[in-house]
Amino acid sequence: MSFANKLIHFYGSLKPPVNLPKGIEVLFPQKDPQVMKVVESFCKKFFTGNSKRRLLLGINPGRFGAGITGVNFTAPKQLLENCGIKHPFGSSSELSAEFIYEMIEAYGGPKAFYKDWFIGSVCPLGFITASGVNMNYYDDKKLQAAVTPFIIEQIDQQLSLGFTRDHCICIGGEKNFKFLSSLNAAHKWFERITPLPHPRFIMQYRRKQKQDYIKEYLEALQS
């Protein structure tokens, strides 16, 4: 099976975690056939070869990026304009996607970047409150405890696709890194994990230093 088809199978086989705390709902875009069609197009365009790729692991999908498109850190605008994939999701953008794709263009563009790297998530499905507000898996202790077995299973599943394990980039340099590092100590997934600041933090609070952060990302990716 090609690497693209392995990724497609991974996302097509996702089943949401159960027993979530009251008032928290799962964000599961891949249950929509239109989203899975886009995921298939994305994977077949950028992951046809069997190059040895490393992982960047974000936190979990949010409702304005991967929660719409099914592609991590890729909002509808970037999916069309940067990746060249037509879709029915409109043209909205998202701060994290804007940073990531500016960084990807500095790397050499999507084809060069995705030949070397894949952007996954510590938790491949996201979470929202009943009122529709984004949540990270670590924002609620009961939620984190409930989804930890799911997270372990899904990281195992992602790694079984054939990623290189010598170096992982963790997007989200505090809570996400701390949690992933604790799991890695137990499961020995990666030889080393490098934390990087989250793009949303950069774009909201450090936008004037954006080029410095892009340089920091590129240095970590090329190390």
Side-chain angles (χ1 to χ4, degrees), residues 50-61:
N50 289 309
S51 302
K52 290 294 185 181
R53 295 173 174 89
R54 295 180 174 88
L55 274 169
L56 291 94
L57 290 178
I59 302 167
N60 49 244

Side-chain angles (χ1 to χ4, degrees), residues 8 36-46 85:
I8 293 165
M36 274 307 301
K37 185 177 179 180
V38 164
V39 171
E40 289 178 13
S41 296
F42 178 80
C43 291
K44 288 178 179 178
K45 181 169 185 176
F46 295 112
I85 295 175

Side-chain angles (χ1 to χ4, degrees), residues 3-47:
F3 190 67
N5 285 334
K6 289 179 183 179
L7 285 170
I8 293 165
H9 178 75
F10 171 76
Y11 283 105
S13 302
L14 281 173
K15 295 181 180 179
V18 296
N19 300 321
L20 297 183
K22 186 176 180 180
I24 298 175
E25 302 171 6
V26 70
L27 185 65
F28 186 13
Q30 289 85 5
K31 68 182 179 182
D32 183 339
Q34 287 187 314
V35 172
M36 274 307 301
K37 185 177 179 180
V38 164
V39 171
E40 289 178 13
S41 296
F42 178 80
C43 291
K44 288 178 179 178
K45 181 169 185 176
F46 295 112
F47 299 99

Side-chain angles (χ1 to χ4, degrees), residues 82-145:
N82 296 87
C83 300
I85 295 175
K86 295 180 180 179
H87 59 78
F89 306 134
S91 58
S92 62
S93 187
E94 192 262 343
L95 287 177
S96 293
E98 290 173 12
F99 176 87
I100 286 294
Y101 275 90
E102 191 167 340
M103 181 275 295
I104 285 174
E105 292 299 337
Y107 189 94
K111 285 189 177 180
F113 177 81
Y114 289 122
K115 185 179 178 181
D116 297 333
W117 294 89
F118 177 77
I119 305 178
S121 297
V122 169
C123 186
L125 297 178
F127 306 98
I128 54 174
T129 66
S131 58
V133 176
N134 271 334
M135 287 192 74
N136 296 320
Y137 68 83
Y138 53 65
D139 286 339
D140 180 278
K141 290 183 179 180
K142 290 183 179 179
L143 174 62
Q144 180 175 308

Side-chain angles (χ1 to χ4, degrees), residues 150-209:
F150 173 77
I151 286 172
I152 293 169
E153 178 184 358
Q154 297 309 315
I155 292 177
D156 281 335
Q157 288 288 332
Q158 288 181 78
L159 289 175
S160 74
L161 304 182
F163 290 105
T164 300
R165 302 189 186 202
D166 63 332
H167 186 203
C168 173
I169 300 290
C170 179
I171 302 175
E174 187 180 347
K175 294 179 180 178
N176 198 39
F177 176 62
K178 182 179 180 181
F179 180 77
L180 179 59
S181 294
S182 68
L183 291 183
N184 191 58
H187 296 275
K188 311 298 182 186
W189 290 316
F190 307 105
E191 293 177 24
R192 64 186 175 109
I193 302 173
T194 298
L196 288 173
H198 197 279
R200 177 163 289 279
F201 168 82
I202 295 167
M203 297 295 278
Q204 281 189 316
Y205 303 109
R206 299 289 189 272
R207 189 183 285 261
K208 290 183 179 179
Q209 290 81 45

